[in-house]
Amino acid sequence: MSVFLITFAIFLLVIAGMAIGYIVQQKTISGSCGGLGAIGIEKECDCPEPCDARKKREARAEKTREWKKNQII
């Protein structure tokens, strides 16, 4: 039982360390292989023009990025 508890504690420490690192870096999670861009696909869908909901989401994300960039400087 003690081996299980020690192993469980180690896993919790590793997960907590990864979570803290993610929070501190403020980066999005991405795959190590480069994702779809590595195989020549630039976006998830084949639509020539994104839908209105996606345009709003992208505009909001860009606004947030600009705001964060201005806050750092």
Side-chain angles (χ1 to χ4, degrees):
M1 183 68 170
S2 64
V3 172
F4 172 76
L5 291 176
I6 292 170
T7 304
F8 187 71
I10 291 172
F11 273 103
L12 283 179
L13 286 172
V14 168
I15 291 170
M18 290 170 56
I20 291 169
Y22 171 73
I23 291 169
V24 169
Q25 288 184 352
Q26 296 180 349
K27 293 168 72 175
T28 58
I29 297 175
S30 61
S32 61
C33 63
L36 294 174
I39 58 173
I41 300 174
E42 296 195 17
K43 56 183 179 175
E44 295 172 2
C45 65
D46 293 333
C47 306
E49 184 68 27
C51 63
D52 292 336
R54 184 173 180 110
K55 287 180 185 177
K56 288 178 186 176
R57 220 174 23 245
E58 289 175 353
R60 197 174 13 195
E62 181 63 30
K63 191 180 210 182
T64 303
R65 270 194 296 274
E66 288 296 320
W67 182 79
K68 283 184 179 181
K69 188 171 96 176
N70 290 335
Q71 293 298 319
I72 293 173
I73 297 174

